[in-house]
Amino acid sequence: TWAIMPLQSFEEGDNVVVTTGRSNHLHGNESYQAGEHGVVLEAKPGSSVVKLRLEGEYYIVESVLPLLRRPVPHRIVHASVLHLHKLNVPPATPPEIEDSAAGTDRESALMLAVSPDVDEQLAQELFQKISTTVLQPDKLPALTKASG
């Protein structure tokens, strides 16, 4: 017999991280990569798809020859709730975490942001992806998250 697991419920304003990437070459607004993070804009009851605003360094290609790109701070996608995980974001960040040069306090804060029902290995993977995209955006090449 098959057990049916209930879908994780999301509400507008929830902070989420993408745990599984998806690529749809026909519809760019249905493509996303694991590790991207954002906010739920629209979540209809009973639906397995939510509308997200993914935060990051993205570009809109204005012209191909010569290549002209316009930077944008976010993009809108439609994502499956099976590919997302809700983050528990603390209400305020203590000053000692913001001023931490070593990053160990920041790592602890981000690990606490992942809800406790996630196994430790998945939490570590998510932390690595989040820390790469959020904490060190200047180290990412500009073309990694280009949208068309």
Side-chain angles (χ1 to χ4, degrees):
T1 63
W2 292 91
I4 298 175
M5 285 185 54
L7 294 175
Q8 186 176 5
S9 64
F10 292 93
E11 297 176 5
E12 293 178 10
D14 284 346
N15 290 305
V16 297
V17 64
V18 177
T19 57
T20 305
R22 181 174 192 276
S23 179
N24 186 336
H25 300 290
L26 297 176
H27 301 282
N29 65 345
E30 294 177 3
S31 297
Y32 41 88
Q33 297 176 359
E36 290 184 285
H37 64 284
V39 178
V40 175
L41 297 178
E42 186 178 308
K44 296 180 181 175
S47 175
S48 64
V49 176
V50 295
K51 186 176 182 179
L52 298 176
R53 183 183 68 224
L54 295 176
E55 307 294 336
E57 295 178 12
Y58 300 104
Y59 298 94
I60 294 177
V61 176
E62 298 284 339
S63 171
V64 177
L65 197 59
L67 181 60
L68 298 175
R69 298 177 297 170
R70 180 172 43 101
V72 293
H74 54 76
R75 67 185 182 112
I76 307 297
V77 297
H78 297 279
S80 168
V81 297
L82 298 173
H83 299 164
L84 303 175
H85 186 77
K86 192 183 305 187
L87 295 176
N88 295 329
V89 178
T93 306
E96 63 271 6
I97 292 177
E98 291 177 358
D99 297 335
S100 171
T104 54
D105 292 334
R106 186 177 296 234
E107 290 175 11
S108 302
L110 282 173
M111 290 305 291
L112 290 174
V114 177
S115 65
D117 61 337
V118 174
D119 69 355
E120 193 167 329
Q121 182 179 2
L122 177 61
Q124 275 297 88
E125 289 176 22
L126 292 175
F127 169 72
Q128 290 299 324
K129 291 177 181 177
I130 290 172
S131 63
T132 301
T133 58
V134 176
L135 300 179
Q136 305 163 359
D138 54 327
K139 293 185 180 180
L140 292 175
L143 295 176
T144 20
K145 294 184 183 177
S147 67

